[in-house]
Amino acid sequence: MRATFSLAAGLAAAFFASPAPAHDYKLGDLEIGHPYALASGGKTAAGYFSITNHGTAADSLVAIRSEFPRSEVHGTETDANGVARMVPVPALEIPAGGTVTLQPGGLHVMFMGLDHPLAAGDHVPATLDFEKAGEVAVDFQVEARGEAAHGDGMSH
Ligand SMILES: [Cu+2]
């Protein structure tokens, strides 16, 4: 038991030493990992998180609400000319026992109609609505835009 305790203490120390601590949410069998959004000075911002389904049945993320007029899940699709574009994903399925990860370059939340810039350190409260599990309030931590950030050049 002592060894287990020491490991837990070590993990806790590592957790608190991190400059942008991860934060997780639980809703029934679903676990929402580290929601964050990228800083933006434009009308849109991209958000990311992971969803793990510990249950035995699939569930789907069917809506996201925030202070902004529209928040949608988008996927990316590459056309015959090799041009990537974003397509809305009205119901994002999380398979039983599976994890779906929204990350730069792929699935993302698009916050639309921003009326003010988002800077690193800001927070975007939002509600995720799942078909079966219901709703959970989460907080997207705004982080500085990195090299692999969601490009503003992608069209909608
Ligand atoms: Cu998008």
Side-chain angles (χ1 to χ4, degrees), residues 60-64 89-92 129-131:
S60 293
L61 175 63
V62 291
I64 297 174
V89 179
L92 178 65
D129 189 358
F130 292 89
E131 189 176 23

Side-chain angles (χ1 to χ4, degrees), residues 50-107:
S50 63
I51 311 168
T52 298
N53 183 353
H54 297 287
T56 53
D59 203 345
S60 293
L61 175 63
V62 291
I64 297 174
R65 292 187 300 279
S66 73
E67 61 186 326
F68 304 117
R70 282 171 70 197
S71 306
E72 296 178 352
V73 173
H74 285 173
T76 55
E77 215 172 54
T78 305
D79 70 15
N81 299 316
V83 178
R85 63 191 186 92
M86 299 194 267
V87 290
V89 179
L92 178 65
E93 184 177 296
I94 305 97
T99 297
V100 173
T101 304
L102 289 72
Q103 57 193 342
L107 287 165

Side-chain angles (χ1 to χ4, degrees), residues 2-156:
R2 186 168 297 161
T4 304
F5 177 78
S6 299
L7 177 61
L11 288 173
F15 180 93
F16 288 113
S18 169
H23 58 303
D24 300 313
Y25 301 87
K26 280 190 187 273
L27 173 68
D29 289 329
L30 301 178
E31 192 177 331
I32 315 297
H34 191 49
Y36 71 100
L38 293 177
S40 171
K43 291 281 183 197
T44 64
Y48 308 99
F49 54 90
S50 63
I51 311 168
T52 298
N53 183 353
H54 297 287
T56 53
D59 203 345
S60 293
L61 175 63
V62 291
I64 297 174
R65 292 187 300 279
S66 73
E67 61 186 326
F68 304 117
R70 282 171 70 197
S71 306
E72 296 178 352
V73 173
H74 285 173
T76 55
E77 215 172 54
T78 305
D79 70 15
N81 299 316
V83 178
R85 63 191 186 92
M86 299 194 267
V87 290
V89 179
L92 178 65
E93 184 177 296
I94 305 97
T99 297
V100 173
T101 304
L102 289 72
Q103 57 193 342
L107 287 165
H108 56 278
V109 177
M110 194 106 256
F111 297 110
M112 289 177 270
L114 275 61
D115 57 358
H116 61 270
L118 287 182
D122 288 351
H123 293 264
V124 179
T127 300
L128 308 183
D129 189 358
F130 292 89
E131 189 176 23
K132 291 174 187 152
E135 297 185 352
V136 60
V138 302
D139 190 40
F140 285 80
Q141 298 176 347
V142 180
E143 298 182 359
R145 188 171 270 271
E147 291 295 309
H150 182 88
D152 278 328
M154 290 180 97
S155 60
H156 274 83

